[in-house]
Amino acid sequence: MSERTFGGHSLAEIKKLRNNPADGANFYMALRDAAPDLFQLAEDFEMLEMFVQTLVDKIEAAANGEAADTPREDILQGLKETLDDPEIRKIIASR
């Protein structure tokens, strides 16, 4: 897996740039180059966070007996469908 670069700088280099005022222009250019990626990563994180919360809710409901009237197969099918979300698969595959 290749290391991501932003404005020709690795993340480690950008962290060093932000600490040195003399490198402000280089930091700005790297940040400007990274902006589309940063926004996409933020959207991906939000979607993954909702995905995990959905999984937790379904597992908690099953564990608390709220799903007592629902057959086990239906509960497992619901979890499987949640795991098969194409948007989540796209995010995971892109990294």
Side-chain angles (χ1 to χ4, degrees):
M1 185 173 168
S2 63
E3 183 177 32
R4 274 193 147 151
T5 60
F6 305 99
H9 299 283
S10 70
L11 185 58
E13 291 171 330
I14 290 175
K15 286 180 180 180
K16 289 178 187 173
L17 290 174
R18 74 174 179 199
N19 293 326
N20 187 350
D23 291 323
N26 289 332
F27 177 74
Y28 170 76
M29 294 304 290
L31 185 62
R32 196 180 91 181
D33 183 53
D37 287 340
L38 291 174
F39 290 120
Q40 184 60 48
L41 290 172
E43 288 176 17
D44 290 352
F45 176 78
E46 187 176 310
M47 184 175 285
L48 288 172
E49 189 176 39
M50 288 186 299
F51 169 73
V52 169
Q53 186 60 50
T54 300
L55 284 177
V56 168
D57 291 345
K58 288 183 179 191
I59 291 169
E60 284 178 345
N64 290 335
E66 292 175 18
D69 296 333
T70 307
R72 183 170 186 250
E73 293 79 21
D74 291 346
I75 295 169
L76 292 175
Q77 182 62 33
L79 285 172
K80 182 178 180 280
E81 289 169 4
T82 302
L83 292 170
D84 285 340
D85 185 318
E87 288 299 314
I88 299 300
R89 288 189 176 278
K90 187 171 94 178
I91 292 169
I92 294 168
S94 71
R95 302 294 178 246

